[in-house]
């Protein structure tokens, strides 16, 4: 597995570097993505060398054991999360935080992490006082508690 990750990372980095050399428009969005993805794979590949140390191999064993449970949890939670996204998008479309699917997703994710809960509460209660509070309370109860 490590050899495949290393090979893909190196090919992507070489291809991205080659494209950046011949890019005459100075629009580096695609080359930056390729080089960044290759760097990410190179850093993941460092895990190959950490497996030989007993302390660090615990990390990989934990990830390997927990990944099926985490994926099952995400599969169960994602429909509920997307339901809240689309429901909030339909209810609070006048709010600047709920203008598109991606901005609604970012708003709910930041609320899930506790970043701007008060600001989101104020914004939604400005659009519809009762439904805004009900929406935020139910979202916090389901996802945070």
């Amino acid at each position: 597995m490590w050899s495949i990750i290393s090979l893909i990372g190196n090919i992507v980095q070489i291809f991205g570097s080659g494209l950046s050399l011949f890019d005459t428009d100075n629009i580096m969005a695609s080359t930056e993505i390729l080089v960044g993805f290759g760097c990410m794979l190179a850093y993941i590949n460092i895990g190959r060398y950490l497996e030989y140390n007993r302390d660090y191999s615990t990390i990989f064993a934990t990830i390997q054991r927990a990944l099926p449970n985490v994926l099952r949890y995400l599969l169960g939670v994602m429909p509920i999360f997307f339901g809240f996204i689309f429901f909030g998008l339909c209810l609070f479309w006048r709010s600047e935080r709920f203008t598109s699917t991606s901005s609604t997703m970012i708003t709910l994710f930041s609320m899930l992490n506790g970043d701007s809960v008060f600001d989101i509460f104020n914004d939604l209660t400005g659009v519809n006082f009762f439904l805004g509070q009900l929406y935020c309370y139910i979202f916090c109860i389901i996802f945070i508690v």
Side-chain angles (χ1 to χ4, degrees), residues 117-139:
V117 176
F118 184 71
D119 296 333
I120 295 169
F121 261 85
N122 281 339
D123 194 24
L124 294 185
T125 55
V127 174
N128 188 333
F129 183 77
F130 179 72
L131 288 178
Q133 283 192 351
L134 187 66
Y135 179 81
C136 288
Y137 284 131
I138 291 173
F139 182 80

Side-chain angles (χ1 to χ4, degrees), residues 2-80:
W2 294 114
S3 300
I4 294 170
I5 292 173
S6 177
L7 180 69
I8 292 171
N10 289 337
I11 289 172
V12 169
Q13 279 184 337
I14 290 169
F15 189 67
S17 299
L19 281 178
S20 68
L21 289 175
F22 298 112
D23 189 13
T24 58
D25 296 333
N26 290 331
I27 300 173
M28 306 255 310
S30 60
T31 58
E32 287 175 353
I33 290 171
L34 287 174
V35 171
F37 185 69
C39 285
M40 180 189 73
L41 291 177
Y43 274 101
I44 289 173
N45 198 28
I46 292 175
R48 163 193 294 183
Y49 305 108
L50 296 177
E51 280 185 339
Y52 298 113
N53 188 339
R54 216 178 102 225
D55 295 331
Y56 294 117
S57 67
T58 306
I59 294 170
F60 290 107
T62 304
I63 290 172
Q64 187 176 10
R65 285 182 134 186
L67 194 61
N69 291 333
V70 170
L71 291 177
R72 251 184 269 123
Y73 172 77
L74 284 177
L75 188 66
V77 163
M78 289 312 272
I80 300 169

